[in-house]
Amino acid sequence: MTTPNELRLLPWSGPGDKPCYLSTDDPDGYMSRLADGIEAIQLGTVSELLEEASEALDNQGTSLDDMRCLVKELTGALRDVYRVATSRGHLRATSDPREPTC
């Protein structure tokens, strides 16, 4: 099992929006792969939303309701990406400094 400072922050929240963590010695285990897949989906969603936001900003006819909806989606996506970045930062900080990170 991993030590407490090596827990992986998962890309989803638990009840009450509390963070969820994974403790495992197997980075290729089912839960690790599931978390990796969800992170990839979240990052892809952000990429799509950024493109949509650029188009909406360039379009003078974008309604206020459409912009509010887009901002709400962007806020959720930004929260997800922040969680991914935090998790990956923790993973790098706890990895063996002799191992290459690339």
Side-chain angles (χ1 to χ4, degrees), residues 12-72:
W12 56 80
S13 300
D17 204 31
K18 302 236 187 237
C20 293
Y21 295 92
L22 175 64
S23 175
T24 182
D25 288 334
D26 186 5
D28 294 321
Y30 175 77
M31 289 301 292
S32 294
R33 288 182 288 123
L34 178 64
D36 290 342
I38 291 175
E39 286 178 355
I41 291 168
Q42 290 171 332
L43 294 172
T45 298
V46 168
S47 178
E48 293 171 9
L49 284 171
L50 285 172
E51 187 173 322
E52 189 177 327
S54 292
E55 291 171 5
L57 289 170
D58 289 342
N59 181 358
Q60 296 286 335
T62 303
S63 72
L64 185 57
D65 285 341
D66 287 343
M67 289 301 268
R68 284 187 177 137
C69 182
L70 183 57
V71 168
K72 184 176 181 178

